Amino acid sequence: MAVTRFAAIDVGSYNVSMEIFELSRKYGLKSVNRVRQRLEIGHDTYTEHKLSREKLDKLAHILHDFKRIMDEYKVSDYRACAKSAFREAKNEVLALELIYQRTGIRIDVLSNSEQRFLGYKAIASKEVDFNKMIQKGTAIVDMGGGSVQISLFDKDALVTTQNLRIGSLRIRERLSVLGRETTHSEQLVEELIRKEVQNFRRLYLKDRKIQNIILVGDYFTNLIFHNKSDVNKMITKETFMEWYQQIVSSSTMDLAISMNVPMEFASVIMPAAVIYRRLIDELGADTIWLPGIQLTDGMAYDFGEKNKIIQTTHDFENDIVMAAKNMAKRYGSGKQHTQALTVLADTIFDSMKKAYNLSPRQKLLLKIAVLLHDCGKYISLVNVAECSYNIIMSTEIIGLSHSERKIIANVVKYNTEGFDYYSENQTVDSLTLEEYRTVSKLTAILKLANALDRSHMQKVQSLKAALKDSQLILNIEHTGDFTLEKGLFYEKAELFEDVFSVKPVLKLKKCN
């Protein structure tokens, strides 16, 4: 039986941790060792917006130790990820290169949506409990040092996911400028987070009934909920409130002693507890599930899934699509046109994928571009392309990186705007050459598909596409007068020919 050893390194806001896993097709995922070193990187970022040389030196030293441990365990692969503490630092790029030069370890800086998606995958690794719970109204509350992510599920579907910049360490740093500790510091936290939580409830929760809350986060989540050993357990709201009263009535020194943690850690516990209490109150659920997982579990699960070591029953790609569908619904996108356009675009994509090495991930990006291609009409019927672009770039879609969201936004923009050729502008929207190539291919396909339903009357009843030599033959059975679609099709075909060196050709047959 083949066993793979994988190391997951999480560079967090206030500690750096590594977990070593064994993965096999027979036994799945098993943790064999976990180490954690305290390092408040987030303190520098959230106060100075920069990673200090001192903290980077300490991080390099920690990663050297981790590398030695990986060698001892004969780890065959690893992934190191950083979150908001790196993401929000203005010297991020220089810091990453410095760490690589000194340790040989490449750190991936996760976008917020990527980070939360890995956390979500960690929960999904508890498949039986997770799949059962999300059949009813469920909220995942994922707290980090910089922010809190709230994801709402109903009937096994992801309804929405939103990020609130009220992480525990960020709030602690904001409190520190108000002076020394007071006897009412929990009230100050309440006032700091009040508006963000109210806005979330008003815009996204509304009358939705939440029966379960799944709490994930970091080291402090487990301290607050008496789960230091990371066990899988359920608690009631009443049990949490008993713990909460003990926390807010204790001084930082008392918390450090009772929980056996350094003072710096203890100072984060009260803000984190207040944030959790307020969110639990607003969501209104009675059952709280602590799956006892960390980001490292999600990183290992993701590695196992991508390398076909672990098989999952949950469709994560569908969660990304559902998030995009709900976003399209919010902005009033035309449902029937979008459904027809999805089929047309998928058919054209499939006819080209083998010859041009188009990947399943690119097909997913095209599908999301189709779903959001006219979302900007909600704001302006004139500047649709610009408004659609801005909506997509301003909205996180769980599971997509910033790069992927940028690709989708540009595909949607160029669907109605003239295409910018790379030779005309070498820095088109700061796209890398590889990103630009993907944008050009997906835009060419979307423009072609969109022309086939320009009237929004779904005249195409069936489409068969076949690539033959230097032509893409599209056999279409249609209803009604196809003059408009035919004329626009050949107008939009120019970009397709430029990108693929393939001429699209229509073969039309009118349905009886």
Side-chain angles (χ1 to χ4, degrees), residues 193-251:
I193 68 174
R194 176 175 172 271
K195 193 61 178 178
E196 285 86 348
V197 175
Q198 285 183 340
N199 285 340
F200 173 81
R201 180 178 182 83
R202 176 175 57 84
L203 294 171
Y204 302 104
L205 192 58
K206 298 181 180 178
D207 297 324
R208 192 178 304 279
K209 174 62 178 173
I210 301 298
Q211 295 180 281
N212 309 300
I213 297 177
I214 305 174
L215 293 184
V216 293
D218 45 37
Y219 182 59
F220 298 103
T221 301
N222 291 326
L223 282 178
I224 292 165
F225 290 91
H226 293 204
N227 197 30
K228 199 169 182 179
S229 299
D230 291 346
V231 298
N232 183 5
K233 68 178 184 179
M234 301 274 187
I235 65 168
T236 63
K237 181 180 177 180
E238 289 71 24
T239 300
F240 166 69
M241 288 306 298
E242 291 176 9
W243 298 337
Y244 174 78
Q245 291 301 330
Q246 294 174 12
I247 290 170
V248 297
S249 62
S250 301
S251 67

Side-chain angles (χ1 to χ4, degrees), residues 152-409:
L152 302 181
F153 285 82
D154 195 18
K155 297 178 182 178
D156 197 27
L158 178 64
V159 177
T160 188
T161 181
Q162 297 296 322
N163 186 254
L164 283 64
R165 290 166 67 87
I166 53 172
S168 53
L169 186 57
R170 189 187 301 276
I171 294 298
R172 188 199 72 178
E173 296 306 319
R174 291 175 69 181
L175 284 177
S176 67
V177 304
L178 302 178
R180 60 187 179 83
E181 186 178 358
T182 72
T183 56
H184 304 291
S185 53
E186 74 278 6
Q187 294 179 13
L188 296 179
V189 177
E190 283 269 8
E191 292 177 17
L192 277 171
I193 68 174
R194 176 175 172 271
K195 193 61 178 178
E196 285 86 348
V197 175
Q198 285 183 340
N199 285 340
F200 173 81
R201 180 178 182 83
R202 176 175 57 84
L203 294 171
Y204 302 104
L205 192 58
K206 298 181 180 178
D207 297 324
R208 192 178 304 279
K209 174 62 178 173
I210 301 298
Q211 295 180 281
N212 309 300
I213 297 177
I214 305 174
L215 293 184
V216 293
D218 45 37
Y219 182 59
F220 298 103
T221 301
N222 291 326
L223 282 178
I224 292 165
F225 290 91
H226 293 204
N227 197 30
K228 199 169 182 179
S229 299
D230 291 346
V231 298
N232 183 5
K233 68 178 184 179
M234 301 274 187
I235 65 168
T236 63
K237 181 180 177 180
E238 289 71 24
T239 300
F240 166 69
M241 288 306 298
E242 291 176 9
W243 298 337
Y244 174 78
Q245 291 301 330
Q246 294 174 12
I247 290 170
V248 297
S249 62
S250 301
S251 67
T252 301
M253 178 66 77
D254 290 337
L255 289 173
I257 295 171
S258 63
M259 295 186 172
N260 191 30
V261 294
M263 284 284 287
E264 294 90 343
F265 276 21
S267 65
V268 179
I269 292 172
M270 185 278 293
V274 175
I275 295 167
Y276 275 130
R277 199 274 300 164
R278 183 60 191 266
L279 291 175
I280 289 170
D281 280 350
E282 291 289 349
L283 293 167
D286 294 322
T287 302
I288 302 169
W289 177 32
L290 292 106
I293 50 86
Q294 302 288 331
L295 183 70
T296 48
D297 295 278
M299 293 162 65
Y301 190 86
D302 183 65
F303 173 82
E305 183 190 16
K306 288 179 177 176
N307 288 276
K308 303 188 184 330
I309 302 172
I310 294 175
Q311 291 186 337
T312 177
T313 59
H314 188 78
D315 188 348
F316 292 106
E317 184 173 299
N318 185 61
D319 292 322
I320 300 173
V321 173
M322 287 304 300
K325 281 185 176 179
N326 282 299
M327 183 176 163
K329 183 179 179 181
R330 188 188 318 151
Y331 291 104
S333 295
K335 185 176 180 181
Q336 290 182 323
H337 171 63
T338 300
Q339 288 175 340
L341 186 54
T342 298
V343 174
L344 297 171
D346 279 357
T347 303
I348 296 172
F349 182 96
D350 288 344
S351 70
M352 304 294 291
K353 64 182 180 183
K354 185 175 181 180
Y356 291 89
N357 296 315
L358 300 176
S359 69
R361 190 68 178 184
Q362 288 173 321
K363 187 173 183 178
L364 173 64
L365 299 185
L366 176 62
K367 181 175 290 188
I368 295 170
V370 168
L371 289 169
L372 302 176
H373 78 283
D374 62 352
C375 63
K377 290 179 180 178
Y378 183 85
I379 297 174
S380 171
L381 295 175
V382 177
N383 300 314
V384 178
E386 181 182 352
C387 292
S388 297
Y389 175 90
N390 289 330
I391 286 172
I392 295 167
M393 289 304 296
S394 301
T395 308
E396 286 191 328
I397 303 173
I398 192 167
L400 297 182
S401 67
H402 177 77
S403 170
E404 290 174 324
R405 200 163 77 246
K406 188 165 58 173
I407 288 170
I408 293 166

